[in-house]
PDB file of all heavy atoms in Angstrom:
ATOM      1  N   ARG A 366      17.039  -9.338  10.793  1.00 85.00           N
ATOM      2  CA  ARG A 366      17.053 -10.791  10.558  1.00 85.00           C
ATOM      3  C   ARG A 366      17.591 -11.150   9.189  1.00 85.00           C
ATOM      4  O   ARG A 366      16.854 -11.424   8.260  1.00 85.00           O
ATOM      5  CB  ARG A 366      15.634 -11.337  10.688  1.00 85.00           C
ATOM      6  CG  ARG A 366      15.403 -12.083  11.972  1.00 85.00           C
ATOM      7  CD  ARG A 366      14.255 -13.040  11.828  1.00 85.00           C
ATOM      8  NE  ARG A 366      14.698 -14.357  11.457  1.00 85.00           N
ATOM      9  CZ  ARG A 366      13.998 -15.443  11.669  1.00 85.00           C
ATOM     10  NH1 ARG A 366      12.832 -15.346  12.234  1.00 85.00           N
ATOM     11  NH2 ARG A 366      14.453 -16.616  11.287  1.00 85.00           N
ATOM     12  N   LEU A 369      17.189 -14.752   6.885  1.00 94.00           N
ATOM     13  CA  LEU A 369      16.159 -15.033   5.890  1.00 94.00           C
ATOM     14  C   LEU A 369      16.766 -15.163   4.504  1.00 94.00           C
ATOM     15  O   LEU A 369      16.175 -15.765   3.604  1.00 94.00           O
ATOM     16  CB  LEU A 369      15.099 -13.933   5.918  1.00 94.00           C
ATOM     17  CG  LEU A 369      14.320 -13.864   7.245  1.00 94.00           C
ATOM     18  CD1 LEU A 369      13.498 -12.598   7.325  1.00 94.00           C
ATOM     19  CD2 LEU A 369      13.424 -15.083   7.373  1.00 94.00           C
ATOM     20  N   HIS A 372      17.271 -18.822   3.738  1.00 97.00           N
ATOM     21  CA  HIS A 372      15.979 -19.482   3.537  1.00 97.00           C
ATOM     22  C   HIS A 372      15.424 -19.186   2.155  1.00 97.00           C
ATOM     23  O   HIS A 372      14.923 -20.062   1.460  1.00 97.00           O
ATOM     24  CB  HIS A 372      14.982 -19.045   4.612  1.00 97.00           C
ATOM     25  CG  HIS A 372      15.234 -19.690   5.943  1.00 97.00           C
ATOM     26  ND1 HIS A 372      14.884 -20.998   6.200  1.00 97.00           N
ATOM     27  CD2 HIS A 372      15.803 -19.228   7.062  1.00 97.00           C
ATOM     28  CE1 HIS A 372      15.228 -21.296   7.450  1.00 97.00           C
ATOM     29  NE2 HIS A 372      15.781 -20.237   7.997  1.00 97.00           N
ATOM     30  N   GLU A 376      15.115 -21.790  -1.521  1.00 97.00           N
ATOM     31  CA  GLU A 376      13.935 -21.945  -2.382  1.00 97.00           C
ATOM     32  C   GLU A 376      14.228 -21.470  -3.794  1.00 97.00           C
ATOM     33  O   GLU A 376      13.881 -22.132  -4.774  1.00 97.00           O
ATOM     34  CB  GLU A 376      12.762 -21.119  -1.827  1.00 97.00           C
ATOM     35  CG  GLU A 376      12.284 -21.534  -0.461  1.00 97.00           C
ATOM     36  CD  GLU A 376      11.477 -22.816  -0.485  1.00 97.00           C
ATOM     37  OE1 GLU A 376      11.007 -23.221  -1.558  1.00 97.00           O
ATOM     38  OE2 GLU A 376      11.328 -23.424   0.593  1.00 97.00           O
ATOM     39  N   ALA A 378      16.872 -21.489  -5.361  1.00 97.00           N
ATOM     40  CA  ALA A 378      17.775 -22.402  -6.070  1.00 97.00           C
ATOM     41  C   ALA A 378      17.017 -23.466  -6.845  1.00 97.00           C
ATOM     42  O   ALA A 378      17.572 -24.090  -7.754  1.00 97.00           O
ATOM     43  CB  ALA A 378      18.718 -23.070  -5.076  1.00 97.00           C
ATOM     44  N   LEU A 379      15.753 -23.677  -6.492  1.00 97.00           N
ATOM     45  CA  LEU A 379      14.963 -24.702  -7.160  1.00 97.00           C
ATOM     46  C   LEU A 379      14.191 -24.132  -8.351  1.00 97.00           C
ATOM     47  O   LEU A 379      13.395 -24.834  -8.970  1.00 97.00           O
ATOM     48  CB  LEU A 379      13.961 -25.315  -6.167  1.00 97.00           C
ATOM     49  CG  LEU A 379      14.563 -25.876  -4.880  1.00 97.00           C
ATOM     50  CD1 LEU A 379      13.460 -26.272  -3.910  1.00 97.00           C
ATOM     51  CD2 LEU A 379      15.433 -27.091  -5.195  1.00 97.00           C
ATOM     52  N   ARG A 407      29.186 -16.745   0.669  1.00 97.00           N
ATOM     53  CA  ARG A 407      29.106 -18.192   0.891  1.00 97.00           C
ATOM     54  C   ARG A 407      27.799 -18.770   0.398  1.00 97.00           C
ATOM     55  O   ARG A 407      27.757 -19.845  -0.184  1.00 97.00           O
ATOM     56  CB  ARG A 407      29.251 -18.490   2.380  1.00 97.00           C
ATOM     57  CG  ARG A 407      30.630 -18.216   2.892  1.00 97.00           C
ATOM     58  CD  ARG A 407      30.666 -18.338   4.401  1.00 97.00           C
ATOM     59  NE  ARG A 407      31.981 -17.954   4.877  1.00 97.00           N
ATOM     60  CZ  ARG A 407      32.221 -17.359   6.021  1.00 97.00           C
ATOM     61  NH1 ARG A 407      31.229 -17.094   6.831  1.00 97.00           N
ATOM     62  NH2 ARG A 407      33.440 -17.039   6.366  1.00 97.00           N
ATOM     63  N   ALA A 408      26.731 -18.035   0.629  1.00 98.00           N
ATOM     64  CA  ALA A 408      25.419 -18.534   0.210  1.00 98.00           C
ATOM     65  C   ALA A 408      25.345 -18.613  -1.307  1.00 98.00           C
ATOM     66  O   ALA A 408      24.766 -19.544  -1.869  1.00 98.00           O
ATOM     67  CB  ALA A 408      24.323 -17.625   0.753  1.00 98.00           C
ATOM     68  N   ARG A 410      27.800 -19.205  -3.280  1.00 97.00           N
ATOM     69  CA  ARG A 410      28.610 -20.362  -3.695  1.00 97.00           C
ATOM     70  C   ARG A 410      27.842 -21.657  -3.530  1.00 97.00           C
ATOM     71  O   ARG A 410      27.911 -22.539  -4.372  1.00 97.00           O
ATOM     72  CB  ARG A 410      29.900 -20.425  -2.881  1.00 97.00           C
ATOM     73  CG  ARG A 410      31.145 -20.136  -3.710  1.00 97.00           C
ATOM     74  CD  ARG A 410      32.395 -20.698  -3.102  1.00 97.00           C
ATOM     75  NE  ARG A 410      32.580 -20.352  -1.705  1.00 97.00           N
ATOM     76  CZ  ARG A 410      33.086 -19.206  -1.276  1.00 97.00           C
ATOM     77  NH1 ARG A 410      33.452 -18.281  -2.126  1.00 97.00           N
ATOM     78  NH2 ARG A 410      33.220 -18.975   0.010  1.00 97.00           N
ATOM     79  N   LEU A 411      27.096 -21.768  -2.460  1.00 98.00           N
ATOM     80  CA  LEU A 411      26.371 -23.023  -2.228  1.00 98.00           C
ATOM     81  C   LEU A 411      25.108 -23.102  -3.080  1.00 98.00           C
ATOM     82  O   LEU A 411      24.868 -24.095  -3.753  1.00 98.00           O
ATOM     83  CB  LEU A 411      26.000 -23.175  -0.755  1.00 98.00           C
ATOM     84  CG  LEU A 411      25.255 -24.472  -0.458  1.00 98.00           C
ATOM     85  CD1 LEU A 411      26.157 -25.678  -0.633  1.00 98.00           C
ATOM     86  CD2 LEU A 411      24.672 -24.467   0.948  1.00 98.00           C
ATOM     87  N   PHE A 412      24.288 -22.060  -3.062  1.00 98.00           N
ATOM     88  CA  PHE A 412      22.987 -22.177  -3.710  1.00 98.00           C
ATOM     89  C   PHE A 412      23.020 -21.860  -5.193  1.00 98.00           C
ATOM     90  O   PHE A 412      22.120 -22.225  -5.934  1.00 98.00           O
ATOM     91  CB  PHE A 412      21.967 -21.299  -2.992  1.00 98.00           C
ATOM     92  CG  PHE A 412      21.706 -21.767  -1.587  1.00 98.00           C
ATOM     93  CD1 PHE A 412      22.122 -21.030  -0.503  1.00 98.00           C
ATOM     94  CD2 PHE A 412      21.053 -22.974  -1.366  1.00 98.00           C
ATOM     95  CE1 PHE A 412      21.885 -21.480   0.793  1.00 98.00           C
ATOM     96  CE2 PHE A 412      20.813 -23.425  -0.079  1.00 98.00           C
ATOM     97  CZ  PHE A 412      21.242 -22.684   1.008  1.00 98.00           C
ATOM     98  N   PRO A 452       8.433 -18.356  -1.710  1.00 97.00           N
ATOM     99  CA  PRO A 452       7.525 -18.848  -2.751  1.00 97.00           C
ATOM    100  C   PRO A 452       6.939 -20.206  -2.381  1.00 97.00           C
ATOM    101  O   PRO A 452       7.586 -20.994  -1.694  1.00 97.00           O
ATOM    102  CB  PRO A 452       8.418 -18.968  -3.987  1.00 97.00           C
ATOM    103  CG  PRO A 452       9.804 -18.804  -3.535  1.00 97.00           C
ATOM    104  CD  PRO A 452       9.833 -18.359  -2.129  1.00 97.00           C
ATOM    105  N   ASP A 453       5.714 -20.468  -2.864  1.00 95.00           N
ATOM    106  CA  ASP A 453       5.098 -21.760  -2.635  1.00 95.00           C
ATOM    107  C   ASP A 453       5.681 -22.784  -3.592  1.00 95.00           C
ATOM    108  O   ASP A 453       6.103 -23.860  -3.194  1.00 95.00           O
ATOM    109  CB  ASP A 453       3.572 -21.641  -2.806  1.00 95.00           C
ATOM    110  CG  ASP A 453       2.859 -22.937  -2.470  1.00 95.00           C
ATOM    111  OD1 ASP A 453       3.440 -23.760  -1.738  1.00 95.00           O
ATOM    112  OD2 ASP A 453       1.734 -23.136  -2.936  1.00 95.00           O
ATOM    113  N   GLU A 481       1.746 -18.832   7.511  1.00 95.00           N
ATOM    114  CA  GLU A 481       2.379 -20.159   7.579  1.00 95.00           C
ATOM    115  C   GLU A 481       1.370 -21.283   7.742  1.00 95.00           C
ATOM    116  O   GLU A 481       1.693 -22.443   7.516  1.00 95.00           O
ATOM    117  CB  GLU A 481       3.408 -20.200   8.712  1.00 95.00           C
ATOM    118  CG  GLU A 481       2.861 -20.330  10.126  1.00 95.00           C
ATOM    119  CD  GLU A 481       2.184 -19.067  10.636  1.00 95.00           C
ATOM    120  OE1 GLU A 481       2.453 -17.989  10.073  1.00 95.00           O
ATOM    121  OE2 GLU A 481       1.389 -19.176  11.587  1.00 95.00           O
ATOM    122  N   TYR A 578       4.256 -17.321   0.493  1.00 98.00           N
ATOM    123  CA  TYR A 578       4.031 -17.204   1.934  1.00 98.00           C
ATOM    124  C   TYR A 578       4.658 -15.908   2.434  1.00 98.00           C
ATOM    125  O   TYR A 578       5.775 -15.560   2.049  1.00 98.00           O
ATOM    126  CB  TYR A 578       4.670 -18.387   2.674  1.00 98.00           C
ATOM    127  CG  TYR A 578       3.916 -19.678   2.473  1.00 98.00           C
ATOM    128  CD1 TYR A 578       4.245 -20.542   1.439  1.00 98.00           C
ATOM    129  CD2 TYR A 578       2.855 -20.019   3.312  1.00 98.00           C
ATOM    130  CE1 TYR A 578       3.531 -21.718   1.248  1.00 98.00           C
ATOM    131  CE2 TYR A 578       2.147 -21.196   3.123  1.00 98.00           C
ATOM    132  CZ  TYR A 578       2.491 -22.039   2.089  1.00 98.00           C
ATOM    133  OH  TYR A 578       1.791 -23.199   1.898  1.00 98.00           O
ATOM    134  N   LEU A 580       5.576 -14.389   5.991  1.00 93.00           N
ATOM    135  CA  LEU A 580       5.625 -14.759   7.408  1.00 93.00           C
ATOM    136  C   LEU A 580       5.613 -13.522   8.287  1.00 93.00           C
ATOM    137  O   LEU A 580       6.513 -13.289   9.077  1.00 93.00           O
ATOM    138  CB  LEU A 580       6.885 -15.588   7.659  1.00 93.00           C
ATOM    139  CG  LEU A 580       6.980 -16.813   6.762  1.00 93.00           C
ATOM    140  CD1 LEU A 580       8.270 -17.547   7.011  1.00 93.00           C
ATOM    141  CD2 LEU A 580       5.789 -17.727   7.000  1.00 93.00           C
TER     142      LEU A 580
ATOM    143  N   ASN B  88      17.110 -25.651  12.176  1.00 97.00           N
ATOM    144  CA  ASN B  88      16.943 -25.856  10.744  1.00 97.00           C
ATOM    145  C   ASN B  88      17.783 -27.004  10.202  1.00 97.00           C
ATOM    146  O   ASN B  88      17.529 -27.503   9.115  1.00 97.00           O
ATOM    147  CB  ASN B  88      17.307 -24.573   9.987  1.00 97.00           C
ATOM    148  CG  ASN B  88      16.311 -23.471  10.260  1.00 97.00           C
ATOM    149  OD1 ASN B  88      15.130 -23.595   9.962  1.00 97.00           O
ATOM    150  ND2 ASN B  88      16.767 -22.392  10.877  1.00 97.00           N
ATOM    151  N   ASN B  93      28.071 -21.671   8.903  1.00 95.00           N
ATOM    152  CA  ASN B  93      29.026 -21.155   7.937  1.00 95.00           C
ATOM    153  C   ASN B  93      29.051 -22.103   6.737  1.00 95.00           C
ATOM    154  O   ASN B  93      29.569 -23.218   6.822  1.00 95.00           O
ATOM    155  CB  ASN B  93      30.405 -21.059   8.590  1.00 95.00           C
ATOM    156  CG  ASN B  93      31.417 -20.422   7.673  1.00 95.00           C
ATOM    157  OD1 ASN B  93      31.287 -20.490   6.446  1.00 95.00           O
ATOM    158  ND2 ASN B  93      32.437 -19.809   8.237  1.00 95.00           N
ATOM    159  N   LEU B  94      28.495 -21.663   5.625  1.00 97.00           N
ATOM    160  CA  LEU B  94      28.321 -22.544   4.472  1.00 97.00           C
ATOM    161  C   LEU B  94      29.637 -22.933   3.808  1.00 97.00           C
ATOM    162  O   LEU B  94      29.648 -23.817   2.956  1.00 97.00           O
ATOM    163  CB  LEU B  94      27.387 -21.876   3.457  1.00 97.00           C
ATOM    164  CG  LEU B  94      25.992 -21.556   4.014  1.00 97.00           C
ATOM    165  CD1 LEU B  94      25.154 -20.842   2.966  1.00 97.00           C
ATOM    166  CD2 LEU B  94      25.287 -22.822   4.481  1.00 97.00           C
ATOM    167  N   ASP B  95      30.731 -22.302   4.200  1.00 95.00           N
ATOM    168  CA  ASP B  95      32.042 -22.737   3.721  1.00 95.00           C
ATOM    169  C   ASP B  95      32.264 -24.213   4.038  1.00 95.00           C
ATOM    170  O   ASP B  95      32.963 -24.905   3.310  1.00 95.00           O
ATOM    171  CB  ASP B  95      33.162 -21.937   4.408  1.00 95.00           C
ATOM    172  CG  ASP B  95      33.442 -20.626   3.691  1.00 95.00           C
ATOM    173  OD1 ASP B  95      32.924 -20.450   2.569  1.00 95.00           O
ATOM    174  OD2 ASP B  95      34.190 -19.798   4.246  1.00 95.00           O
ATOM    175  N   THR B  98      30.829 -25.784   0.948  1.00 96.00           N
ATOM    176  CA  THR B  98      31.410 -25.408  -0.348  1.00 96.00           C
ATOM    177  C   THR B  98      32.915 -25.653  -0.388  1.00 96.00           C
ATOM    178  O   THR B  98      33.488 -25.735  -1.468  1.00 96.00           O
ATOM    179  CB  THR B  98      31.112 -23.938  -0.688  1.00 96.00           C
ATOM    180  OG1 THR B  98      31.568 -23.102   0.382  1.00 96.00           O
ATOM    181  CG2 THR B  98      29.621 -23.727  -0.882  1.00 96.00           C
ATOM    182  N   ARG B 127      22.645 -30.204  -1.152  1.00 98.00           N
ATOM    183  CA  ARG B 127      22.865 -29.206  -2.206  1.00 98.00           C
ATOM    184  C   ARG B 127      24.312 -29.273  -2.678  1.00 98.00           C
ATOM    185  O   ARG B 127      24.603 -29.187  -3.873  1.00 98.00           O
ATOM    186  CB  ARG B 127      22.510 -27.814  -1.651  1.00 98.00           C
ATOM    187  CG  ARG B 127      22.881 -26.640  -2.516  1.00 98.00           C
ATOM    188  CD  ARG B 127      22.312 -26.639  -3.897  1.00 98.00           C
ATOM    189  NE  ARG B 127      20.885 -26.474  -3.982  1.00 98.00           N
ATOM    190  CZ  ARG B 127      20.189 -26.511  -5.123  1.00 98.00           C
ATOM    191  NH1 ARG B 127      20.824 -26.724  -6.264  1.00 98.00           N
ATOM    192  NH2 ARG B 127      18.890 -26.341  -5.122  1.00 98.00           N
ATOM    193  N   GLU B 128      25.234 -29.477  -1.742  1.00 98.00           N
ATOM    194  CA  GLU B 128      26.644 -29.521  -2.130  1.00 98.00           C
ATOM    195  C   GLU B 128      26.940 -30.771  -2.951  1.00 98.00           C
ATOM    196  O   GLU B 128      27.738 -30.754  -3.875  1.00 98.00           O
ATOM    197  CB  GLU B 128      27.553 -29.454  -0.900  1.00 98.00           C
ATOM    198  CG  GLU B 128      29.028 -29.296  -1.240  1.00 98.00           C
ATOM    199  CD  GLU B 128      29.294 -28.139  -2.187  1.00 98.00           C
ATOM    200  OE1 GLU B 128      28.866 -27.008  -1.883  1.00 98.00           O
ATOM    201  OE2 GLU B 128      29.915 -28.363  -3.261  1.00 98.00           O
ATOM    202  N   ASN B 131      25.965 -30.008  -6.309  1.00 97.00           N
ATOM    203  CA  ASN B 131      26.905 -29.086  -6.949  1.00 97.00           C
ATOM    204  C   ASN B 131      28.190 -29.790  -7.359  1.00 97.00           C
ATOM    205  O   ASN B 131      28.689 -29.600  -8.464  1.00 97.00           O
ATOM    206  CB  ASN B 131      27.284 -27.947  -5.969  1.00 97.00           C
ATOM    207  CG  ASN B 131      26.161 -26.969  -5.764  1.00 97.00           C
ATOM    208  OD1 ASN B 131      25.159 -26.981  -6.479  1.00 97.00           O
ATOM    209  ND2 ASN B 131      26.311 -26.102  -4.772  1.00 97.00           N
ATOM    210  N   PRO B 169       2.910 -25.628  11.819  1.00 96.00           N
ATOM    211  CA  PRO B 169       3.645 -24.559  12.509  1.00 96.00           C
ATOM    212  C   PRO B 169       3.035 -24.222  13.867  1.00 96.00           C
ATOM    213  O   PRO B 169       3.757 -24.045  14.850  1.00 96.00           O
ATOM    214  CB  PRO B 169       3.525 -23.378  11.539  1.00 96.00           C
ATOM    215  CG  PRO B 169       3.406 -24.007  10.193  1.00 96.00           C
ATOM    216  CD  PRO B 169       2.609 -25.260  10.418  1.00 96.00           C
ATOM    217  N   GLN B 182       6.251 -19.126  12.685  1.00 96.00           N
ATOM    218  CA  GLN B 182       6.917 -18.733  11.437  1.00 96.00           C
ATOM    219  C   GLN B 182       8.278 -19.424  11.315  1.00 96.00           C
ATOM    220  O   GLN B 182       8.670 -19.838  10.227  1.00 96.00           O
ATOM    221  CB  GLN B 182       7.105 -17.210  11.370  1.00 96.00           C
ATOM    222  CG  GLN B 182       5.827 -16.434  11.186  1.00 96.00           C
ATOM    223  CD  GLN B 182       5.035 -16.285  12.470  1.00 96.00           C
ATOM    224  OE1 GLN B 182       5.576 -16.406  13.562  1.00 96.00           O
ATOM    225  NE2 GLN B 182       3.748 -16.057  12.344  1.00 96.00           N
ATOM    226  N   ASP B 183       8.986 -19.537  12.423  1.00 96.00           N
ATOM    227  CA  ASP B 183      10.282 -20.205  12.367  1.00 96.00           C
ATOM    228  C   ASP B 183      10.132 -21.699  12.103  1.00 96.00           C
ATOM    229  O   ASP B 183      10.977 -22.304  11.458  1.00 96.00           O
ATOM    230  CB  ASP B 183      11.079 -19.951  13.655  1.00 96.00           C
ATOM    231  CG  ASP B 183      11.721 -18.572  13.645  1.00 96.00           C
ATOM    232  OD1 ASP B 183      11.963 -18.046  12.533  1.00 96.00           O
ATOM    233  OD2 ASP B 183      11.970 -18.014  14.722  1.00 96.00           O
ATOM    234  N   PHE B 185       7.743 -22.909  10.256  1.00 97.00           N
ATOM    235  CA  PHE B 185       7.443 -22.960   8.828  1.00 97.00           C
ATOM    236  C   PHE B 185       8.728 -22.863   8.021  1.00 97.00           C
ATOM    237  O   PHE B 185       8.931 -23.620   7.061  1.00 97.00           O
ATOM    238  CB  PHE B 185       6.484 -21.819   8.459  1.00 97.00           C
ATOM    239  CG  PHE B 185       6.134 -21.782   7.008  1.00 97.00           C
ATOM    240  CD1 PHE B 185       5.165 -22.625   6.503  1.00 97.00           C
ATOM    241  CD2 PHE B 185       6.783 -20.919   6.140  1.00 97.00           C
ATOM    242  CE1 PHE B 185       4.836 -22.603   5.156  1.00 97.00           C
ATOM    243  CE2 PHE B 185       6.463 -20.893   4.795  1.00 97.00           C
ATOM    244  CZ  PHE B 185       5.495 -21.736   4.300  1.00 97.00           C
ATOM    245  N   LEU B 186       9.593 -21.933   8.411  1.00 97.00           N
ATOM    246  CA  LEU B 186      10.868 -21.783   7.715  1.00 97.00           C
ATOM    247  C   LEU B 186      11.690 -23.068   7.791  1.00 97.00           C
ATOM    248  O   LEU B 186      12.319 -23.480   6.824  1.00 97.00           O
ATOM    249  CB  LEU B 186      11.670 -20.618   8.322  1.00 97.00           C
ATOM    250  CG  LEU B 186      11.177 -19.214   7.983  1.00 97.00           C
ATOM    251  CD1 LEU B 186      11.887 -18.176   8.831  1.00 97.00           C
ATOM    252  CD2 LEU B 186      11.372 -18.924   6.507  1.00 97.00           C
ATOM    253  N   ARG B 189      10.221 -25.616   5.313  1.00 98.00           N
ATOM    254  CA  ARG B 189      10.503 -25.295   3.914  1.00 98.00           C
ATOM    255  C   ARG B 189      11.973 -25.495   3.584  1.00 98.00           C
ATOM    256  O   ARG B 189      12.326 -25.949   2.506  1.00 98.00           O
ATOM    257  CB  ARG B 189      10.091 -23.844   3.613  1.00 98.00           C
ATOM    258  CG  ARG B 189       8.603 -23.604   3.717  1.00 98.00           C
ATOM    259  CD  ARG B 189       7.813 -24.439   2.759  1.00 98.00           C
ATOM    260  NE  ARG B 189       8.225 -24.213   1.405  1.00 98.00           N
ATOM    261  CZ  ARG B 189       7.423 -23.842   0.420  1.00 98.00           C
ATOM    262  NH1 ARG B 189       6.143 -23.670   0.663  1.00 98.00           N
ATOM    263  NH2 ARG B 189       7.882 -23.646  -0.780  1.00 98.00           N
ATOM    264  N   HIS B 194      15.747 -28.873   0.512  1.00 98.00           N
ATOM    265  CA  HIS B 194      16.936 -29.704   0.334  1.00 98.00           C
ATOM    266  C   HIS B 194      16.591 -31.152   0.039  1.00 98.00           C
ATOM    267  O   HIS B 194      17.229 -31.783  -0.797  1.00 98.00           O
ATOM    268  CB  HIS B 194      17.842 -29.585   1.565  1.00 98.00           C
ATOM    269  CG  HIS B 194      18.525 -28.262   1.636  1.00 98.00           C
ATOM    270  ND1 HIS B 194      18.048 -27.214   2.376  1.00 98.00           N
ATOM    271  CD2 HIS B 194      19.627 -27.794   1.006  1.00 98.00           C
ATOM    272  CE1 HIS B 194      18.830 -26.169   2.214  1.00 98.00           C
ATOM    273  NE2 HIS B 194      19.797 -26.478   1.388  1.00 98.00           N
ATOM    274  N   SER B 196      14.206 -32.129  -1.615  1.00 98.00           N
ATOM    275  CA  SER B 196      13.710 -32.249  -2.991  1.00 98.00           C
ATOM    276  C   SER B 196      14.832 -32.598  -3.956  1.00 98.00           C
ATOM    277  O   SER B 196      14.582 -32.949  -5.112  1.00 98.00           O
ATOM    278  CB  SER B 196      13.020 -30.950  -3.424  1.00 98.00           C
ATOM    279  OG  SER B 196      13.975 -29.942  -3.681  1.00 98.00           O
TER     280      SER B 196
END
Side-chain angles (χ1 to χ4, degrees):
Chain A
R366 255 203 94 158
L369 296 168
H372 284 284
E376 297 285 343
L379 305 172
R407 291 172 185 147
R410 248 202 309 278
L411 181 68
F412 295 111
D453 185 22
E481 77 288 340
Y578 287 91
L580 304 177
Chain B
N88 292 299
N93 185 333
L94 301 177
D95 274 349
T98 55
R127 171 57 68 183
E128 188 52 54
N131 287 349
Q182 290 79 21
D183 281 335
F185 179 81
L186 286 170
R189 295 299 303 236
H194 288 96
S196 74

